[in-house]
Amino acid sequence: MDWSQIFSPENGVLLPLWGILIKLFGAIVIGIIGFFLSKALGKAAKHIVQSLELRKQFKKAGIRFNPETMAENVLKYLGYLGTFIVALNYLGITPVILNIIFIGVIIIIILTLFLTLKDFVPNIIAGIHLIAINKLKKGDSIKVKDVSGKISEISLTETTLLSKSGNKIIIPNSTIMKEQITITPKGRK
């Protein structure tokens, strides 16, 4: 049998099927290359942010945040998304899938921001208020709900107490603002 007849446009389906397989293989190769490039880009971003020592700045401000991991993950996942879009474009199905992905990504970003900030923002606002009114000072003893201790630190998001047994107790600033507290100034018992 002559192979040129099998793969000819006049004699059947195998020629379009062969073209689809080649496109699919190309998309898979693009995906693999993009995957490894995205991981490398994420690692590079992590090292750049580490060299800027941003974590120390956040720690000084009293915020627990890991900018190295965030930079790595954001760039890595954006690279994955870009690779996926390029592979879909190579296959010729970008417009419909891209619209679905775009809407999905927007929904995920909105939900992530909402869930991330729902506790963080009230604590920051309460922390600013606590620091501004200056009613609580380091060394004061306070009782919030059924927890009591001596204030060892007041940051933007939380207040740290030391109990009489020496345990560290961390209370979100929004809890301090919402609850009735008893303050015993430093020096009084």
Side-chain angles (χ1 to χ4, degrees):
M1 178 173 263
D2 185 13
W3 286 102
S4 64
Q5 291 177 347
I6 293 175
F7 292 107
S8 68
E10 300 88 39
N11 290 334
V13 149
L14 288 179
L15 187 61
L17 182 61
W18 184 252
I20 291 170
L21 288 175
I22 289 174
K23 287 263 189 196
L24 190 59
F25 179 74
I28 290 170
V29 169
I30 289 171
I32 292 170
I33 292 170
F35 175 78
F36 288 111
L37 285 176
S38 298
K39 284 188 79 94
L41 183 66
K43 293 288 183 193
K46 181 178 182 177
H47 290 297
I48 290 170
V49 173
Q50 278 177 338
S51 69
L52 296 175
E53 297 181 351
L54 292 177
R55 188 188 294 193
K56 288 181 183 178
Q57 300 303 321
F58 282 109
K59 193 171 185 177
K60 283 182 186 176
I63 300 171
R64 289 188 199 154
F65 178 64
N66 190 342
E68 295 93 356
T69 303
M70 183 175 171
E72 177 182 15
N73 288 337
V74 166
L75 284 176
K76 182 171 57 175
Y77 290 119
L78 283 175
Y80 292 162
L81 180 63
T83 299
F84 187 65
I85 290 169
V86 169
L88 289 177
N89 192 31
Y90 186 78
L91 289 173
I93 54 174
T94 304
V96 174
I97 300 294
L98 194 57
N99 286 335
I100 293 170
I101 290 172
F102 181 72
I103 291 169
V105 167
I106 295 297
I107 289 170
I108 289 170
I109 289 171
I110 290 170
L111 286 174
T112 302
L113 286 174
F114 176 73
L115 292 174
T116 302
L117 298 178
K118 76 177 178 75
D119 291 331
F120 186 70
V121 171
N123 282 324
I124 291 284
I125 292 170
I128 291 170
H129 182 73
L130 284 173
I131 292 169
I133 63 171
N134 207 21
K135 281 190 179 177
L136 298 177
K137 295 175 185 66
K138 190 174 180 179
D140 289 349
S141 294
I142 65 169
K143 181 176 181 177
V144 181
K145 289 186 177 182
D146 59 345
V147 176
S148 62
K150 188 178 282 192
I151 298 174
S152 64
E153 181 184 358
I154 302 172
S155 71
L156 285 177
T157 56
E158 62 199 18
T159 299
T160 305
L161 306 178
L162 283 175
S163 69
K164 289 182 180 180
S165 61
N167 295 328
K168 259 188 183 181
I169 303 168
I170 298 172
I171 303 173
N173 286 336
S174 60
T175 302
I176 292 174
M177 293 301 293
K178 290 178 192 172
E179 298 294 326
Q180 179 178 356
I181 63 171
T182 305
I183 305 170
T184 306
K186 182 169 57 172
R188 278 189 25 199
K189 292 196 177 188

